[in-house]
Amino acid sequence: MKKSLLLTLLVSALAISMVAQGNREALSPKGIDRIVKEVHHELVMLPFYGVFDNLAYKVDPDGTVTLLGQVSRPVLKSDAENAVKHIEGVEKVVNNIEVLPTSIEDDRIRRAAYRAIYGNEVLSQYQLRAVPPIHIIVKNGHITLEGVVAREMDKTIAGVQANSVHDAFSVTNNLVVEEQEKKDEKKK
């Protein structure tokens, strides 16, 4: 009889736990905004996060944070996950960050692209920030520019400068223009 009572209590506790998890309420828009701000803060504060890495994320209403992007050092992938999983309201972290392959040639292209972009008189202002906003991702000789710039002209110049890098196979310019981003937000 004691065993059946104990078994009944365990099954009841398990059922209550499962129901509680299933009925977990979605985060409010305010809660999501708070988590977004905290995730952003934690990621930009990572000690090895730099211009050759691109970290992105999305926060779902159920408290799941999905990490995206590319990093040149494997330790940054695990550091990013560890930094955000302890944020209040984060229930789960899905780490989809890609670790870029190690390559001496890619390293050379990274350095050349950095010099071409941040050495440009117009773009040099972006180099002064703690985390420069133009991220240079190089994978197997292909350059991708990620980040945010102030003007359309800056985006164009960055693309031209990246295209001038010797031995780069291609350049994809995914830079976002702040002016355009603000206009798009006003339309909403």
Side-chain angles (χ1 to χ4, degrees), residues 7-28:
L7 183 59
T8 303
L9 287 173
L10 283 173
V11 169
S12 296
L14 182 60
I16 291 169
S17 172
M18 289 172 69
V19 167
Q21 286 178 353
N23 289 337
R24 184 170 288 148
E25 292 182 26
L27 291 167
S28 69

Side-chain angles (χ1 to χ4, degrees), residues 10-185:
L10 283 173
V11 169
S12 296
L14 182 60
I16 291 169
S17 172
M18 289 172 69
V19 167
Q21 286 178 353
N23 289 337
R24 184 170 288 148
E25 292 182 26
L27 291 167
S28 69
K30 243 182 173 177
I32 292 172
D33 287 345
R34 180 190 54 77
I35 292 174
V36 165
K37 287 176 183 167
E38 287 187 43
V39 168
H40 176 78
H41 175 76
E42 291 295 332
L43 293 179
V44 297
M45 296 304 291
L46 290 170
F48 296 111
Y49 180 51
V51 72
F52 301 126
D53 306 302
N54 175 43
L55 293 177
Y57 55 90
K58 68 177 189 170
V59 178
D60 293 330
D62 68 351
T64 299
V65 175
T66 304
L67 297 174
L68 308 159
Q70 307 82 20
V71 295
S72 57
R73 293 180 208 101
V75 69
L76 192 52
K77 178 178 179 167
S78 56
D79 285 353
E81 181 174 348
N82 290 332
V84 301
K85 71 181 178 184
H86 299 294
I87 295 173
E88 183 182 341
V90 173
E91 297 297 327
K92 177 180 166 188
V93 177
V94 178
N95 193 342
N96 291 334
I97 297 172
E98 174 188 9
V99 177
L100 297 168
T102 304
S103 163
I104 293 171
E105 189 60 21
D106 280 356
D107 286 343
R108 188 194 62 72
I109 292 171
R110 279 183 192 102
R111 289 188 303 273
Y114 181 88
R115 284 191 301 272
I117 291 169
Y118 287 108
N120 180 280
E121 185 178 330
V122 173
L123 302 176
S124 63
Q125 63 177 327
Y126 293 109
Q127 184 181 17
L128 302 175
R129 300 182 187 174
V131 178
I134 301 173
H135 294 268
I136 303 163
I137 308 305
V138 179
K139 181 178 178 184
N140 300 323
H142 300 275
I143 300 172
T144 302
L145 301 179
E146 299 283 353
V148 179
V149 291
R151 297 173 299 279
E152 187 67 38
M153 181 183 76
D154 296 347
K155 176 180 178 175
T156 303
I157 292 171
V160 168
Q161 292 300 106
N163 273 302
S164 73
V165 174
H166 184 66
D167 290 336
F169 296 126
S170 68
V171 174
T172 303
N173 189 343
N174 293 335
L175 293 172
V176 175
V177 179
E178 277 180 331
E179 291 172 352
Q180 187 62 42
E181 194 175 73
K182 289 177 185 174
K183 287 178 187 175
D184 290 343
E185 285 179 17

